[in-house]
Amino acid sequence: MGDGAARRYARVAGVATLDARVAEPGIVAAAVRLGVPVRGFPAEELAGVAVPHPSEVPLAATGTASVAEAAALRAAGPGAVLLVPKRKSRRVTCAIAGFVPFGPDEVTSVARLSPLTCGYIAGEPGTPHFPTPHTTADMDTHTEGPHTGSQAHDLRHHGDAEVRDEKLIDLAVNVRTATPPDWLRERIAHSLTGLAAYPDGRSARAAVAERHDLPAGRVLLTSGAAEAFVLLARALPVRRPVVVHPQFTEPEAALRDAGHEVGRVLLREEDGFRLDPAAVPEEADLVVIGNPTNPTSVLHPAETIASLARPGRYLVVDEAFMDAVPGEREALAGRTDVPGLVVLRSLTKTWGLAGLRIGYVLAEPETVALLERAQPLWPVSTPALVAAEACMGRAALAEAEHAAHRIGTERAHLLAGLAEFDEVRTVAAAEGPFVLIRIEGADAVRERLRLLGFAARRGDTFPGLDRHWLRLAVRDRATTNRFLQALDQALLLGG
């Protein structure tokens, strides 16, 4: 062990496990490497330790809901909290606990998870397990299960990774082409003369509020919708968050980074990936859903989503692509009659501002205040504020509506072309600026498309999908025709 490794493990005091396992070679080797003793506890003793993240398989096998968490908490003693929740690989599950004194008014009979934890929390067996930012051991985080294929979903993979550093025709990123328009570029460029002053978001906030017919206290400007997901995960006092998948993966990633154990509701292809409100657990106190949903492109009825609202529950609706739907039908933005409603909007897709980072949240004033307190000072730059205000104007909204109709026409052309392939199955109810397709062995088809000059978004990073899915951005007719020809060649090359 080198000096760096020795310093890394200097604070490890011991290894703990079930007493029947203390002589296992891997555990003995780990203890020797760390230079610490191994402690074993009887199964009945570990069964009496309350754990934050129980699982059914170890409970049935040993009577202990999580051997790793129970052993770590038991060895650390009274006042212990989990510093890193259990992590599972094909070879080992481990957790790390430390001693933190209890306050005089705290209940000591319930295991606690450190609020500083930023590790991912392993779920039930058969669901993905994600790597934690903490360095705990040289562990293989690869996992297998019936819903994951051969590997866990990479929640941090996004479409831009498909085109980075390569000159490919981009069908992987959902930003509208030929944007930002000239008039918006000019407004942004003019704002650069005022960079000496600190950003003042009042005018942009008022413009967003007016556009949705809301008071300014219901609006929060953010550095893109992605920042809003981080704020929600860190600021809202929730215990049982649920994310409806397949959908944009950043909400779940942000929640896990903040130490939450995240429940999933998986929509099914045989149901057209449409929402069944009854599938959402009643105990969920935060529910996240996209509309229209990325990557399925399904537009859920507004009232179906609104029916998920409950007293004491936050209902988060990601409407990043709603302005690509003609008339923004089924939008919940601007509604004040749905309790706990939080709507997220992005200006990066329609207006080509991904590099500028601008979005906003619409919510009850109390929720906006919670999120705003979690933001750093001046979170949105002056050019981004100017862009936000400009995109709220009547002429801009009319241009966005025109673009939405044009996208619908081009999407229909793409779907008609895809229907000519027996090997391709589409989610036909697409309403967004992208479509989701299934091809047997789509991962290999995607690689062949890259050789032919086209980048498509892989689908296997979305929970609920696997390697047989691809997402395609809607482009102009000429680009679509060239892609369909390339797809024909890619399928022929595969035999």
Side-chain angles (χ1 to χ4, degrees):
M1 184 184 302
D3 290 341
R7 284 193 297 272
R8 184 198 303 175
Y9 298 119
R11 296 182 63 187
V12 177
V15 175
T17 186
L18 196 65
D19 58 2
R21 298 176 181 170
V22 293
E24 289 185 1
I27 292 174
V28 172
V32 169
R33 182 183 179 192
L34 296 171
V36 297
V38 179
R39 295 185 63 186
F41 298 97
E44 58 268 24
E45 186 173 342
L46 294 181
V49 179
V51 295
H53 312 111
S55 298
E56 293 179 1
V57 170
L59 182 63
T62 67
T64 303
S66 172
V67 172
E69 291 187 345
L73 290 165
R74 178 66 182 82
V81 300
L82 285 180
L83 302 175
V84 179
K86 59 184 178 184
R87 291 177 60 193
K88 183 177 181 180
S89 77
R90 287 174 294 179
R91 296 192 295 269
V92 65
T93 301
C94 79
I96 296 179
F99 175 80
V100 177
F102 279 87
D105 298 325
E106 290 188 77
V107 178
T108 60
S109 60
V110 179
R112 297 183 300 168
L113 176 64
S114 168
L116 299 178
T117 297
C118 61
Y120 292 128
I121 301 170
E124 292 291 322
T127 61
H129 300 275
F130 300 95
T132 169
H134 292 289
T135 301
T136 59
D138 297 324
M139 295 174 56
D140 181 358
T141 57
H142 176 92
T143 186
E144 296 182 357
H147 303 297
T148 64
S150 62
Q151 61 181 347
H153 297 89
D154 181 2
L155 300 183
R156 292 298 190 190
H157 181 90
H158 299 298
D160 61 311
E162 309 282 354
V163 293
R164 194 176 295 146
D165 302 325
E166 294 192 50
K167 294 182 178 180
L168 300 172
I169 297 174
D170 179 14
L171 276 70
V173 176
N174 291 325
V175 174
R176 185 164 64 102
T177 56
T179 54
D182 289 341
W183 63 265
L184 184 53
R185 292 176 192 266
E186 292 171 4
R187 290 282 295 272
I188 294 169
H190 182 71
S191 74
L192 301 181
T193 61
L195 293 185
Y198 285 97
D200 183 350
R202 289 176 295 179
S203 183
R205 193 172 190 173
V208 172
E210 182 178 358
R211 181 254 197 270
H212 293 286
D213 196 22
L214 293 171
R218 282 182 168 263
V219 176
L220 181 68
L221 301 171
T222 60
S223 180
E227 187 207 9
F229 291 124
V230 173
L231 296 176
L232 290 165
R234 292 178 178 177
L236 297 186
V238 298
R239 296 176 60 85
R240 297 181 181 276
V242 168
V243 178
V244 179
H245 286 289
Q247 78 145 8
F248 184 48
T249 55
E250 201 59 31
E252 178 169 328
L255 285 162
R256 290 183 178 276
D257 278 349
H260 295 284
E261 185 169 12
V262 182
R264 290 176 177 174
V265 171
L266 299 181
L267 305 185
R268 303 182 304 172
E269 181 192 5
E270 52 265 43
D271 298 328
F273 293 110
R274 295 193 175 280
L275 173 66
D276 175 8
V280 177
E282 277 297 320
E283 63 270 20
D285 55 3
L286 182 147
V287 178
V288 185
I289 185 170
N291 203 34
T293 303
N294 173 18
T296 64
S297 204
V298 170
L299 182 67
H300 305 286
E303 292 311 315
T304 300
I305 294 179
S307 71
L308 295 174
R310 302 282 189 280
R313 171 187 287 179
Y314 293 98
L315 175 57
V316 178
V317 185
D318 176 9
E319 292 189 351
F321 296 99
M322 187 60 79
D323 58 357
V325 176
E328 296 194 2
R329 65 186 192 281
E330 313 305 343
L332 287 170
R335 293 274 294 268
T336 60
D337 60 323
V338 181
L341 178 64
V342 181
V343 174
L344 278 59
R345 286 288 183 106
S346 170
L347 299 177
T348 64
K349 319 300 183 186
T350 290
W351 297 110
L353 300 175
L356 196 59
R357 311 307 307 140
I358 178 64
Y360 55 90
V361 176
L362 306 174
E364 296 168 347
E366 298 80 7
T367 303
V368 168
L370 278 175
L371 302 179
E372 192 168 20
R373 283 198 292 271
Q375 276 187 312
L377 289 172
W378 310 292
V380 182
S381 70
T382 295
L385 292 171
V386 167
E389 185 173 358
C391 292
M392 297 300 112
R394 289 185 179 180
L397 294 178
E399 181 175 328
E401 179 71 7
H402 177 72
H405 284 279
R406 188 169 66 251
I407 287 169
T409 300
E410 299 297 356
R411 183 181 59 242
H413 179 70
L414 172 59
L415 288 171
L418 292 169
E420 297 295 321
F421 296 92
D422 293 336
E423 303 93 331
V424 178
R425 192 160 71 234
T426 63
V427 179
E431 297 279 0
F434 46 88
V435 299
L436 184 65
I437 68 173
R438 190 185 191 283
I439 306 172
E440 192 70 23
D443 50 350
V445 174
R446 171 177 158 272
E447 291 303 321
R448 292 194 288 272
L449 284 169
R450 295 181 71 83
L451 295 175
L452 295 167
F454 287 85
R457 172 65 160 90
R458 57 189 282 198
D460 61 343
T461 65
F462 295 98
L465 302 181
D466 57 25
R467 68 185 186 88
H468 303 297
W469 293 90
L470 296 174
R471 190 193 70 195
L472 306 172
V474 173
R475 298 297 186 225
D476 63 273
R477 187 155 304 198
T479 300
T480 293
N481 289 342
R482 291 172 59 194
F483 167 74
L484 292 171
Q485 292 173 351
L487 178 60
D488 187 38
Q489 293 180 54
L491 293 171
L492 287 173
L493 287 171

